[in-house]
Structure formats: C-alpha cells, structure tokens
Amino acid sequence: MEYADDADRRELLLHSAYAAEQVRVMERPLLDRGVPLMRMAAQAVAHTAAGMLDDEDLALEDTSIVLLAGAGDNGGDGLFAAAALAQEGAAVTAVAVGRTLHEEGFAAFVRAGGKVLVLDPEAGIPGCASGFSAGEAGERLQAAVSLASKSHLIIDAMTGIGIHGVLRGIPAALASALGLDGEVPDESALPGRESSGDFPLVLAVDTPSGVGVDDGSLPGPYLPANVTVTFGAMKPCAVLPPATFGSGRIELVDFGFDIDDVEPAVEVVDNTFASDAVRLPHVDDGKYSRGVVGLVTGSQRYPGAAVLTARAAARANTGMVRYLGPERAQNMVLAALPEAVLGKGHVQSWVVGSGVPSGDADGADADLQRQTIAALLRHYALDGEPAVDDAAYDMPPVVVDAGALDLLPDRVPGQVVITPHAGEMAALLNRLEAGRAGTRADDASPKAGGYAGAADAEDAHDTVGFDGNADSGIDSASTGTGTGSPETAESKSDGTESNTVSFPTADESEPDVTGDSRAASPATDTPSSSVTPDEPAAAFTARDVTAYPLACARRAHELTGATVLLKGAVTIVVDEDHTYVSGSAPAWLATAGAGDVLAGLVGALLAQQDDEITTAETVAAAAYLHGMAAAIASESEQQGWQEPDLVGHGRRQRFMTLGHPIVAGDVIRAIPEAIADVVA
Ligand SMILES: NC(=O)C1=CN([C@@H]2O[C@H](COP(=O)(O)OP(=O)(O)OC[C@H]3O[C@@H](n4cnc5c(N)ncnc54)[C@H](OP(=O)(O)O)[C@@H]3O)[C@@H](O)[C@H]2O)[C@@H](O)CC1
Ligand SMILES: Nc1ncnc2c1ncn2[C@@H]1O[C@H](COP(=O)(O)OP(=O)(O)O)[C@@H](O)[C@H]1O
C-alpha cells in the first residue's frame, strides 16, 4: 500500500475534498495500471474494523459483524473486508441489499466461511435463495435488522460514490430502521471521547449510505457512522455539514492519486490557509496602513453588538476602528474600547447590521442605523450601468450581518460579504426568491425605491453619503435619492436560471419491502422547498438550510453576487468558484453575541488585505480564527470538524479535552492568541 510521505501532499489530502466524478477520474490511471484498489480499500476497512473492536476490548473471534453489502463496488470493498475479518475468526453475515453481489468479493467471502442473507426476492446470487414471497421478504428484512441491531459492528457497504439521489428500496428501509431519517445524530459534542459500550458500532465504507456525497446533505434515510474509511481522497460529504456530523471519525486511505493539478471541490481552512489572511505589521506602518474598519452596528435597542463588533475588530490586527451609531451605543463602545474613533472617515472595510433591527421589527423604518446602512449599501448596487457598476466594484469590502441582510441590494459585487445563520439565510432566500418570482412586489421593502448609485461617492474608500454625525444628516433610504429601478423577475437576466436549489425526492418506483412508509417515500420529511425559476418558491425554513447548507449558500451567492458565509458548527464560505469550510470552533461558541464577534473579525481581516488573496479566502480565514479563539477561550479540543487520520500514519489520541462554557467577550480576548498561533 502506498502512503503519503510528503508533508505538503499530506496537508493537501487532509484538507481537501473532491467530488465523486473527480475521484473517478483520479482513480482511472491507477486502475489502468492494475493497482488493486479494491483490495487496498478492503484491507484498510478490515484493519479499522479490528481496531474499533479492539478499542472495545473485544477479540475478533468473540464478535459478530453484519456487513450490509450493495451490488456495486462499495459492496465489493465490504465483501473483501468481511472475508478478511471472517478469516480472523469473526462471525460475519453479509446482508445482500441488492440483486447481485460483487462476484469476486462474494467468492472470497464464501471461501472465508461467511454467511449470506439475501433480502430481495428478485436477487440472483449463486447458491442463495430467490423468488421468495413478499411476506418472506418482509421477514428477512426484519431478521436482518434484528441481526444487525444485536451485532457488535455493522459495516455499511450499501452505497458509496455511486449513489443517486435519496436512498431508496431495501437500503432505505435498513437505514430507516438502523439509522436516521435526515436528522443530524443527537450526540454530545465529543463523540468517541471514550468507549460508549453501545453496540452496534457502525463503520461506513467510503461514505455513509444515504448522504449526499457531493453536497453534504442528508436528504433522507442514512446510516450514521462511528468511523468512515474513505478511499483515495475525501469526498465533500466528509467535510460539509450536515453529512460530516453523520460520518464519525474519518480515516483516509491514500491511494497515491495525482492531486497536484486538481482543484478540490471543497477546501477546509487550516493554520497555513488562515495565516495568509493576517497582515504582519511592517516597520514603516502607521495605523491607517494597518487597516481601518468602519462599523455601523448596534442600535438603541441592541447596543451590546456595537461593543462586541468594535472590540473584536480592534483585537484582530487592525490599525483603527471607527464607529457610527446612536449615542447610547457610542458611549458604551468608548467605555469598552477607548481606542475607538467616533464618526466618519477613511476606512478599508465596513461592518454593518450586527445588533441592528431587521425590517420586520417594530419601528424599524425609523431606525437611524438602518437608514445609515441603506444609504451605504446603495453604493454597492449593481444595475448594469458601467459607471455605477465600476463605482460599486471600487467600494471597500463590506460585511452585511444580521439586521442589514434585508437591506442588501439585488445584485452586488463579491467584496460584499453576507454572514447569515440558518434562520437568516432562510429569510434571505425567501425574500430573494419571492423577488425573482415577482410574487412580492412590496414597495415598502428595503429593495424598493431603487439604488442611489455611487455618483455622490467623493472617495470610494470614504464614508460616502454620510454626515459626520451618525445621529443626523444621514443619507436616508427614504429620501429617494436613487435613480435606478428595482429589477423585476422579468427584467432580471443574471444567468442563474440553470442553477437552482432543488431538493431531491424519493424514487417511489422502488418496492416497499417493509410496509414502512418511510421506505416507500423516504423523502416525506424532506424540506418543503423546491425552487424552480418558473414557479413561486415554497418558503424556506431554517431546517431546510440546515439540511442543505451548501445548496442554500450557493443559491444566495448566485442570486446576489455576494460572498456568502453561512454560520454553523461547520461554517461554509462560497464565492463564484470556490467552497471553503471551517470547523475549528467548539460547540461552546454557540452563545449570544458570538456572531457579532465574527462580523467584527471578518471586517478586520478584510481591512488589512491587499489584492493577494480573495475576499472568500479572507472570510474563511476569519471564520477559522473565530473558531480558534473560541477553542482557546473555552480550553476545548472539540471542534465542529476533525482532521481525518491518514491510514498507515497512526491514530490521533481519542481523549479530547472538553473545556468549559464561554461568553462572546471571552472569544474576543482570545483573538490575539489565535492570530499569534496561526502566524507562528
Ligand atoms: N474511489 C476509488 O478509488 C475506489 C472506489 N472503490 C469503491 O467503489 C465505490 C463506487 O462503486 P460503484 O461505482 O459501483 O457505486 P456504489 O457506491 O457501489 O453504488 C452503486 C450501488 O448502489 C445502488 N444505488 C445507487 N443509488 C441508490 C439509491 N439512491 N438507493 C439505493 N441504492 C442505490 C446501485 O443500485 P442500482 O442503481 O444499480 O439499482 C448500485 O447497486 C466507492 O464508493 C468505493 O467504495 C474501491 O473499490 C476502490 C477504489
Ligand atoms: N454547534 C456549534 N459549534 C461551533 N460553533 C457554532 C455552533 N453553533 C453556532 N456556532 C457559531 O457561533 C456563532 C453564532 O453566531 P450567531 O448565530 O449569529 O449568534 P448571535 O446572533 O447571538 O451573535 C457563529 O459563528 C456560528 O458559526
């Protein structure tokens, strides 16, 4: 077996995921050279299975193992692995979930003394029963569920990268009975911390059956794993939420794919990646050259967000923080951060909206912060007019958070960064999709009235349109300075028609062998939304966003042009061409105000950039530093995503430090140390 021995290759493999089709292309030259990939995969699976049982102090000869074997090569991997385990004395039963089994794998398994249970009456597996009645098929299915439930280890080799859509038929019935139906496993944040003594353990071969391999979704029944042994390279489901939460520990087998010239489908942020976004101070630096962040955050009602964004931005390697907001918030910012400067001036980035009421809040129309933000965001609106668009592209980067999300213009350049959590993303998509479908021609919406364009921008990096006093003289959205007209669904032609968010549905043509309605229609509990350009969209919910976060983030990018950061235990960042994820945060970070800290941190990193790295890379680095600061503050080793173990390179220690609760302010205090760690 070839193992990665080069440090750069190893780093790349451990932080990159490749789509199923890319993996098939990369495996081709090896298969053509006759490299026995399936045997190598099976050997790793058998080795990992033995290790999992050994961790539970079980000798192989005392264990019962159930292999769920599909008809494809994933089943073949499982059969060869099961044969090896049977040879070592384990009692192994292979449950054939399809109509055939991988021929050589099956032969090896039978030679090793394994038993086979066939579930599909139409199956044609040599020496095994077939043509049995529907009633017997139901009984066999129940027997398989019972056998698997009582076993020590289930090896899930039903489907790998060859899955199409939602799991259906017998595999769906088994996953429903033994696993979950689209939900994320309900576990404490430190799975595998110590032996649970709960059997059966589940080892997934290549990918857990039922997950969306390329988009990381959980569209229906799937079998969550304790450990996934994945071959050649990680697939997106190993790093993307929510599928990554159902994958358990990932063990990666390096087949020696030529990955140097292949662009990963998803990149996981690590220290090296994040360090590129931190500008080290120069000997000739002054405060302005180190980056100035302008904040229009906090409000009369939520002044605390002003303090959190200001303190976070100030601690994240910037030269200066400018604050605009109501007097109460100004006073609080100055008390917490005497270094802050009030009022307008030159800035290299903006942060707007954290702690600002959204448009549906009482009195939102009269809120001065919203009016200030609306005036600023007009300068980012693209309307196809070259002069207007050029001016928009020249504006400094802006982070549009929380209450400002509903003030986002229809189309913006990529230096506009939106930072929703799942609920905010659902609301945003509903607004955008409704706007496209022309179902909500709401003149009172923040989008109405057109956009001012940037004709009044004296300096693209200045506080365009602002009076120095944030409480008066604001270039108000309601003054109607705009000249453009809002795009209608008809007038808009942004080329996004083909890229819609569509949620898979069950293929109901498959027989229901169980009588279990979930097996016949496994998607009955899948999200309600199915968005096509021609019909009004059903409302998105936060649950939809949590189940299909990548699709939703991409959709928000397609509709707006903004760089999208979708928050969660694993945060996703997308732009036109790239997808980044950061899973550095412990779950202790899920605490009020943590999002405000992130907004300030993103603004700070954007303010210190030259043109060497992209907005999306900077934003992804900020998410990573945010998580690292939370890890330092909480003294926790738990993370939303753990690096895989590379098979053949030993296993990482399993006993992680749980840490302790934190508040958002603790995260801010740890930002400097997080920065120091990544640049060290
Ligand atoms: N990458 C590598 O280098 C190497 C890869 N290798 C391995 O090959 C695997 C890929 O094998 P693969 O192409 O044969 O597909 P695979 O995952 O077995 O799935 C096909 C089966 O699933 C079924 N099925 C499909 N959709 C379904 C649904 N929704 N619901 C229910 N069933 C569904 C489908 O049924 P059908 O649609 O034909 O009725 C068929 O039976 C890969 O993941 C890895 O394990 C290693 O051996 C060596 C090196
Ligand atoms: N389970 C979790 N594990 C790690 N980080 C999380 C988890 N849940 C949320 N977070 C992070 O916590 C932050 C919460 O932000 P947000 O929901 O905007 O909070 P608030 O609005 O109170 O500031 C985000 O950065 C998010 O990525």
Side-chain angles (χ1 to χ4, degrees):
M1 193 173 289
E2 289 181 47
Y3 294 130
D5 49 7
D6 169 77
D8 289 344
R9 174 183 174 80
R10 182 187 153 96
E11 284 308 300
L12 191 58
L13 272 178
L14 294 182
H15 298 102
S16 308
Y18 301 86
E21 278 317 309
Q22 292 179 297
V23 170
R24 290 198 191 277
V25 170
M26 292 192 288
E27 74 184 4
R28 195 70 258 157
L30 295 161
L31 291 172
D32 290 348
R33 289 208 312 266
V35 180
L37 296 185
M38 188 175 279
R39 301 302 181 105
M40 290 156 68
Q43 189 185 331
V45 169
H47 179 77
T48 299
M52 290 170 76
L53 295 164
D54 188 54
D55 285 350
E56 304 291 333
D57 292 328
L58 278 170
L60 272 182
E61 52 272 25
D62 299 329
T63 59
S64 65
I65 298 174
V66 169
L67 168 74
L68 306 178
D73 284 356
N74 194 246
D77 298 339
L79 284 163
F80 280 116
L85 292 163
Q87 260 163 3
E88 297 294 319
V92 193
T93 304
V95 175
V97 305
R99 293 182 181 171
T100 58
L101 284 175
H102 186 275
E103 214 175 298
E104 293 162 35
F106 173 62
F109 180 67
V110 171
R111 276 198 304 275
K115 290 187 224 149
V116 180
L117 173 60
V118 174
L119 298 188
D120 191 328
E122 306 293 318
I125 298 169
C128 298
S130 66
F132 39 83
S133 67
E136 185 179 341
E139 284 164 22
R140 282 171 173 256
L141 184 82
Q142 290 312 324
V145 169
S146 165
L147 193 66
S149 305
K150 289 180 194 143
S151 71
H152 295 107
L153 177 70
I154 297 173
I155 299 179
D156 167 18
M158 294 193 289
T159 61
I161 62 173
I163 190 172
H164 299 292
V166 180
L167 208 58
R168 57 179 198 276
I170 291 167
L174 284 168
S176 290
L178 297 166
L180 291 169
D181 199 349
E183 313 96 42
V184 170
D186 180 21
E187 285 171 356
S188 92
L190 286 176
R193 196 160 163 258
E194 39 191 69
S195 162
S196 65
D198 287 342
F199 294 106
L201 300 169
V202 178
L203 187 167
V205 176
D206 208 14
T207 68
S209 298
V211 305
V213 172
D214 285 346
D215 72 355
S217 63
L218 295 177
Y222 76 106
L223 200 49
N226 299 86
V227 178
T228 297
V229 183
T230 198
F231 311 126
M234 283 191 290
K235 324 301 177 290
C237 58
V239 302
L240 283 169
T244 185
F245 307 135
S247 301
R249 190 178 84 239
I250 309 277
E251 299 219 347
L252 172 59
V253 186
D254 181 10
F255 282 160
F257 285 171
D258 185 358
I259 49 172
D260 286 345
D261 299 323
V262 186
E263 182 83 13
V266 186
E267 284 178 60
V268 185
V269 185
D270 63 1
N271 269 9
T272 313
F273 183 115
S275 67
D276 288 344
V278 177
R279 180 185 185 278
L280 295 178
H282 302 182
V283 280
D284 58 346
D285 259 340
K287 63 189 174 207
Y288 296 115
S289 60
R290 294 195 58 211
V292 180
V293 186
L295 305 173
V296 191
T297 54
S299 56
Q300 192 63 27
R301 195 179 314 177
Y302 308 113
V307 175
L308 292 170
T309 51
R311 288 182 57 222
R315 274 178 176 68
N317 193 34
T318 46
M320 188 193 286
V321 172
R322 294 188 188 278
Y323 179 71
L324 284 87
E327 195 177 343
R328 180 173 179 220
Q330 288 180 13
N331 291 338
M332 287 173 62
V333 167
L334 281 184
L337 187 73
E339 299 88 346
V341 174
L342 299 181
K344 82 167 198 175
H346 196 87
V347 301
Q348 276 85 44
S349 76
W350 285 106
V351 178
V352 302
S354 319
V356 172
S358 55
D360 52 9
D362 285 347
D365 288 348
D367 188 281
L368 287 176
Q369 288 295 75
R370 283 183 63 79
Q371 293 175 10
T372 305
I373 293 165
L376 174 62
L377 291 182
R378 281 192 198 106
H379 297 283
Y380 291 86
L382 298 176
D383 71 358
E385 191 67 40
V388 171
D389 290 1
D390 287 351
Y393 280 105
D394 275 351
M395 290 290 287
V398 58
V399 180
V400 181
D401 189 33
L405 286 166
D406 61 7
L407 296 172
L408 188 75
D410 279 357
R411 293 292 300 171
V412 292
Q415 83 270 24
V416 176
V417 179
I418 59 174
T419 55
H421 55 55
E424 289 164 344
M425 174 62 90
L428 179 72
L429 287 176
N430 285 330
R431 179 173 73 84
L432 296 171
E433 298 289 4
R436 274 172 65 80
T439 54
R440 194 181 141 199
D442 177 4
D443 283 347
S445 94
K447 294 195 298 178
Y451 299 113
D456 55 346
E458 311 101 330
D459 174 346
H461 291 256
D462 209 333
T463 55
V464 281
F466 288 95
D467 183 295
N469 180 346
D471 281 332
S472 65
I474 288 165
D475 179 15
S476 162
S478 60
T479 57
T481 52
T483 52
S485 58
E487 284 176 321
T488 63
E490 290 73 35
S491 72
K492 189 163 183 169
S493 173
D494 57 8
T496 57
E497 253 65 7
S498 59
N499 294 316
T500 57
V501 179
S502 59
F503 299 118
T505 53
D507 177 349
E508 294 182 18
S509 63
E510 283 292 303
D512 172 12
V513 291
T514 59
D516 178 338
S517 61
R518 284 179 300 179
S521 184
T524 48
D525 198 28
T526 56
S528 52
S529 307
S530 179
V531 183
T532 69
D534 300 327
E535 54 190 66
F540 285 89
T541 63
R543 185 174 177 276
D544 296 338
V545 177
T546 311
Y548 298 89
L550 178 66
C552 290
R554 286 203 172 137
R555 184 64 174 156
H557 168 74
E558 285 160 7
L559 289 173
T560 63
T563 299
V564 179
L565 177 152
L566 177 56
K567 290 183 268 201
V570 173
T571 289
I572 300 176
V573 176
V574 300
D575 69 4
E576 190 64 26
D577 308 310
H578 299 96
T579 301
Y580 304 105
V581 293
S582 172
S584 60
W588 299 116
L589 181 59
T591 182
D596 306 332
V597 174
L598 176 65
L601 187 43
V602 176
L605 282 205
L606 288 169
Q608 59 197 269
Q609 294 316 311
D610 43 34
D611 287 336
E612 279 173 24
I613 68 169
T614 66
T615 300
E617 287 169 333
T618 308
V619 170
Y624 180 82
L625 283 168
H626 184 237
M628 293 300 282
I632 293 166
S634 63
E635 299 179 290
S636 177
E637 289 176 306
Q638 187 266 325
Q639 296 185 309
W641 182 83
Q642 296 283 346
E643 244 177 42
D645 287 326
L646 205 49
V647 172
H649 285 247
R651 277 191 307 182
R652 188 183 323 271
Q653 62 113 2
R654 225 45 69 62
F655 299 92
M656 295 182 289
T657 310
L658 178 58
H660 53 75
I662 47 174
V663 295
D666 300 330
V667 181
I668 295 173
R669 275 188 289 278
I671 290 172
E673 192 179 332
I675 291 176
D677 282 356
V678 304
V679 297

